[in-house]
């Protein structure tokens, strides 16, 4: 569930530039007399010879329904190499971004978002002006816009599957009032203990020592909304059952994992899902809408409902597409069709509109996006998804290390550590990464997210369910070796063969117990991946849940580009992802840190 590319190069620190340019009158077929106005936000994250641009077009005039294009010209030597969520073409210095077929409309006060990568030499000058559908942009609000309510976007986007998924609804659609939610939903509240996980934990000797910890409930297919007695991974309880149980327990908060995107987890087979790459309408109508309806029932209004939104999705669009180590055709498809960005945007909008619901979006982990080339672009695409929801405040925070094994702290291996005249970033294990542990990464990524437009009160979560790495193999002091690779391997807390290994890792242990507000900027340490639930099967196991066999879960597999062609370090005898794996749970308890 954690595809990780290797980055053996260091880039210069990215420069973030946010430019607001006027965008002008909108002329479309069939709307020649429509009042018009719009704005363009052009944000750049650049390095020495290239940059990533993210563009947001806000329509301040009448709705656009017949398609749109945005044009601009570069004054320097910039060349577009790749685009997403729009077709971006270039002729000389002139660039045109045209809507994809699935995103032809922009309602009044709605936005269209797209991005692209480009090379440049000399100075990367921002375009002087933009034009939308042939009219130069000014940024002015029209003085006499159409007031026809029939032109406004539907307050229930799911009722119109043909509506543009790249278009953000007006923020006026959301009934949520600013300031009604608490700053940290974990603070001062008792967490819900899933009775199904508790029973499994207590079926293993010693499991009662940890079985009263709150864990997240995974909704990993449509059937799980109502409960799936015939499933080897989900239990009989559905969403409403868990909410009722939380009320009965007197819990203050409950955690769900929203996890069923079209083309889910495009770079790993073990966690593939039931929806195909073009099933965005089904995702909205059959998955998100029913969840939102249940969570919005009045009897749950006093319960803090925390949603972990779509792990293993947005970062894949940065690291696992064509041109990247181990890039996949499915990731190319999901980047091109906008399914991840728009699906998450829709989920954030529907769930974020509920006054007692808190959305935390998955933000990968340091061993995935810790390199300069991944760090900024991943933050940018997360902003696109938040903007696609109509309001960035629909994101209450982010979570790192979900279902992963990265150590919370690495006291003896920090990016500034030098050994024998070499920085540890030069070691094979660190591989030029800017970060070596999850806490430092999460705090830095929070700072980055706030700097590009997310709310300053943003909170972070860290999944510590399986990153303890205790037991006899845990280092208690720094190595005395002067060889940088030997030093790092003898000193690091994370004992995996390679940081790219993500499936049922041998030697792992339970990490910090769920704790509210443990560090600056961190809302909580959480157990989102319930300890003892498998990451994927060690061998092919036919199933009706759409979960494939990934060789990264096979302990005999010698690897690929994403894990440095190393052994996987996976345990044998594992069932499909989400199913109970008692042998793993026993090992996690044995290697817990802090110890049980």
């Amino acid at each position: 569930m954690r595809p990780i590319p290797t980055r053996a190069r260091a880039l210069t620190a990215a420069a973030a530039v946010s430019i607001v340019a006027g965008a002008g009158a909108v002329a479309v077929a069939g709307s020649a007399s429509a009042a018009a106005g719009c704005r363009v936000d052009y944000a750049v994250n650049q390095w020495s010879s290239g940059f990533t641009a993210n563009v947001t077009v806000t329509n301040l005039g009448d709705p656009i329904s017949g398609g749109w294009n945005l044009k601009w010209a570069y004054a320097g030597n910039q060349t577009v190499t790749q685009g997403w969520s729009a077709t971006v073409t270039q002729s000389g210095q002139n660039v045109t971004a045209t809507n994809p077929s699935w995103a032809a409309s922009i309602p009044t006060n709605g936005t269209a978002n797209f991005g692209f990568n480009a090379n440049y030499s000399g100075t990367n000058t921002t375009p002087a002006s933009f034009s939308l559908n042939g009219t130069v942009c000014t940024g002015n609000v029209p003085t006499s816009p159409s007031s026809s309510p029939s032109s406004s976007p539907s307050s229930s986007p799911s009722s119109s599957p043909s509506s543009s998924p790249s278009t953000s609804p007006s923020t006026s659609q959301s009934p949520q009032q600013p300031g009604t939610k608490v700053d940290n939903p974990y603070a001062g509240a008792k967490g819900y203990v899933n009775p199904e996980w508790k029973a499994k934990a207590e079926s293993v000797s010693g499991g009662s020592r940890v079985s009263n910890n709150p864990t997240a409930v995974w909704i990993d297919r449509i059937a799980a909304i109502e409960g799936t007695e015939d499933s080897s991974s989900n239990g009989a309880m559905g969403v409403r059952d868990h909410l009722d149980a939380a009320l009965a327990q007197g819990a203050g908060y409950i955690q769900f994992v929203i996890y069923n995107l079209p083309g889910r987890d495009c770079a790993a087979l073990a966690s593939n899902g039931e929806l195909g790459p073009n099933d965005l309408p089904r995702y909205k109508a059959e998955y998100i809408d029913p969840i939102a309806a249940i969570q919005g029932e009045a009897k749950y209004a006093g319960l803090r409902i925390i949603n972990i939104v779509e792990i293993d999705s947005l970062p894949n669009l940065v690291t696992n597409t064509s041109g990247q180590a181990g890039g996949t055709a499915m990731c190319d498809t999901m980047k091109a069709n906008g399914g991840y960005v728009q699906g998450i945007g829709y989920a954030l909008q529907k769930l974020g509109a509920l006054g007692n619901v808190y959305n935390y979006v998955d933000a990968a982990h340091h061993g995935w996006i810790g390199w300069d080339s991944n760090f900024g672009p991943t933050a940018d695409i997360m902003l696109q998804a938040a903007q696609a929801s109509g309001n960035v405040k629909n994101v209450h925070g982010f979570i790192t290390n979900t279902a992963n094994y990265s150590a919370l702290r690495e006291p003896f291996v920090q990016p500034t550590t030098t050994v024998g005249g070499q920085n540890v970033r030069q070691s094979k294990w660190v591989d030029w990464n800017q970060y070596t542990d999850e806490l430092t990464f999460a705090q830095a990524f929070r700072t980055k997210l706030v700097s590009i437009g997310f709310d300053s009160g943003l909170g972070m979560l860290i999944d510590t369910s399986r990153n303890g790495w205790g037991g006899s193999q845990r280092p208690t002091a720094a190595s005395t070796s002067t060889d940088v690779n030997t030093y790092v391997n003898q000193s690091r807390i994370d004992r995996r063969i390679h940081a790219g290994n993500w499936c049922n890792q041998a030697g792992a242990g339970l990490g910090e117990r769920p704790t509210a507000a443990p560090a600056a900027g961190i809302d909580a340490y959480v157990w989102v991946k319930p300890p003892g639930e498998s990451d994927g099967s060690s061998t092919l196991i036919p199933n009706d849940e759409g979960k494939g066999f990934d060789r990264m879960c096979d302990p005999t597999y010698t690897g690929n580009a994403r894990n440095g062609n190393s052994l996987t370090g996976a345990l044998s005898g594992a069932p499909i992802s989400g199913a109970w794996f008692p042998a793993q749970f026993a090992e996690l308890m044995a290697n817990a840190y802090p110890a049980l």
Side-chain angles (χ1 to χ4, degrees):
M1 296 172 66
R2 284 312 198 182
I4 308 167
T6 298
R7 289 289 174 273
R9 64 182 185 275
L11 299 177
T12 59
V17 183
S18 181
I19 307 294
V20 178
V26 193
V28 297
S31 302
S33 61
C38 64
R39 181 178 66 250
V40 174
D41 296 288
Y42 179 90
V44 169
N45 185 29
Q46 70 183 45
W47 53 96
S48 60
S49 61
F51 66 96
T52 296
N54 289 291
V55 183
T56 301
V57 184
T58 304
N59 178 24
L60 303 177
D62 287 344
I64 298 173
S65 59
W68 55 266
N69 65 70
L70 187 72
K71 297 184 178 182
W72 68 92
Y74 284 120
N77 192 21
Q78 295 103 324
T79 303
V80 175
T81 59
Q82 182 183 35
W84 52 91
S85 298
T87 301
V88 185
T89 58
Q90 183 171 5
S91 177
Q93 293 178 308
N94 299 310
V95 184
T96 300
T98 304
N99 66 274
S101 60
W102 42 266
S105 303
I106 313 178
T108 302
N109 293 322
T111 61
N113 308 292
F114 65 92
F116 59 90
N117 292 328
N119 299 323
Y120 77 95
S121 60
T123 302
N124 185 21
T125 305
T126 300
S129 65
F130 297 85
S131 64
L132 185 63
N133 286 3
T135 302
V136 176
C137 303
T138 66
N140 293 329
V141 178
T143 56
S144 58
S146 168
S147 59
S148 171
S150 63
S151 300
S152 63
S154 167
S155 61
S156 180
S158 65
S159 64
S160 178
S162 62
S163 62
S164 165
S166 75
T167 299
S168 298
S170 168
T171 56
S172 64
Q173 290 179 300
S174 172
Q176 176 186 332
Q177 297 298 315
T180 59
K181 300 185 181 185
V182 299
D183 176 64
N184 183 351
Y186 290 89
K190 173 186 174 183
Y192 168 63
V193 177
N194 179 353
E196 293 182 315
W197 177 79
K198 176 181 171 70
K200 293 174 185 175
E202 292 179 352
S203 72
V204 178
S205 178
S208 59
R209 293 174 295 174
V210 296
S211 62
N212 285 315
N213 280 290
T215 57
V217 175
W218 287 56
I219 316 171
D220 66 356
R221 58 181 179 144
I222 293 168
I225 298 172
E226 297 298 330
T228 53
E229 292 187 53
D230 61 338
S231 171
S232 61
S233 55
N234 300 105
M237 297 175 69
V239 173
R240 188 178 282 104
D241 297 322
H242 284 291
L243 289 167
D244 288 342
L247 293 180
Q249 288 181 16
Y253 71 83
I254 184 172
Q255 304 165 103
F256 290 101
V257 177
I258 306 300
Y259 187 50
N260 199 31
L261 271 176
R264 187 176 75 190
D265 203 351
C266 59
L269 298 175
S271 44
N272 286 168
E274 65 185 348
L275 298 181
N278 298 313
D279 282 339
L280 185 59
R282 287 193 64 198
Y283 177 77
K284 292 179 177 182
E286 299 177 40
Y287 181 71
I288 293 299
D289 286 355
I291 293 172
I294 295 171
Q295 292 186 352
E297 291 181 13
K299 64 178 176 178
Y300 307 127
L303 184 63
R304 300 173 187 175
I305 300 175
I306 296 162
N307 289 318
I308 307 302
V309 180
E310 297 296 356
I311 68 170
D312 299 331
S313 56
L314 296 174
N316 273 323
L317 303 185
V318 175
T319 66
N320 288 313
T321 52
S322 294
Q324 305 288 344
T328 71
M330 180 61 80
C331 289
D332 286 342
T333 296
M334 299 318 299
K335 184 173 184 177
N337 71 13
Y340 282 6
V341 170
Q342 301 311 319
I344 290 173
Y346 185 81
L348 293 174
Q349 178 210 6
K350 293 289 288 189
L351 301 171
L354 304 174
N356 61 317
V357 171
Y358 301 80
N359 293 325
Y360 289 81
V361 178
D362 181 66
H365 54 85
H366 87 272
W368 188 349
I369 63 168
W371 292 268
D372 286 340
S373 53
N374 300 339
F375 191 83
T378 300
D380 292 338
I381 203 165
M382 289 176 177
L383 182 61
Q384 287 184 36
Q387 291 170 332
S389 79
N391 188 343
V392 296
K393 289 184 179 291
N394 286 325
V395 178
H396 198 78
F398 289 82
I399 180 169
T400 76
N401 205 46
T402 309
N404 199 56
Y405 299 85
S406 297
L408 183 65
R409 300 179 182 87
E410 285 284 4
F412 313 123
V413 181
Q414 285 295 301
T416 56
T417 305
T418 58
V419 178
Q422 289 185 292
N423 188 281
V424 296
R425 293 182 62 221
Q426 296 172 259
S427 67
K428 184 177 179 180
W429 171 262
V430 181
D431 192 24
W432 294 106
N433 200 319
Q434 298 284 1
Y435 302 93
T436 55
D437 64 48
E438 210 57 28
L439 178 58
T440 304
F441 164 76
Q443 291 171 325
F445 198 59
R446 178 189 180 279
T447 299
K448 175 65 176 178
L449 292 162
V450 171
S451 76
I452 65 173
F454 281 100
D455 189 80
S456 60
L458 200 70
M460 303 296 287
L461 307 177
I462 301 176
D463 189 350
T464 59
S465 59
R466 304 182 304 176
N467 71 344
W469 296 106
S472 61
Q473 298 302 307
R474 184 182 178 91
T476 58
S479 169
T480 57
S481 175
T482 57
D483 176 80
V484 68
N485 285 308
T486 302
Y487 172 90
V488 169
N489 287 332
Q490 291 179 348
S491 304
R492 57 185 169 91
I493 301 300
D494 188 336
R495 306 310 300 167
R496 285 178 290 178
I497 297 170
H498 189 278
N501 290 345
W502 53 267
C503 193
N504 301 323
Q505 291 299 284
L510 300 171
E512 293 282 350
R513 315 311 179 248
T515 307
I522 310 299
D523 279 356
Y525 296 149
V526 292
W527 283 7
V528 165
K529 176 71 173 181
E533 292 191 0
S534 174
D535 293 321
S537 59
S538 304
T539 59
L540 176 63
I541 299 178
N543 65 90
D544 62 358
E545 300 179 38
K547 297 172 180 177
F549 169 52
D550 196 306
R551 291 297 305 279
M552 289 298 291
C553 299
D554 177 357
T556 68
Y557 181 48
T558 54
N560 53 43
R562 295 187 204 139
N563 78 334
N565 296 297
S566 306
L567 285 168
T568 66
L571 293 169
S572 61
I576 64 170
S577 63
W580 186 243
F581 189 9
Q584 183 196 44
F585 184 62
E587 185 170 286
L588 290 171
M589 290 191 292
N591 293 326
Y593 188 89
L596 299 180

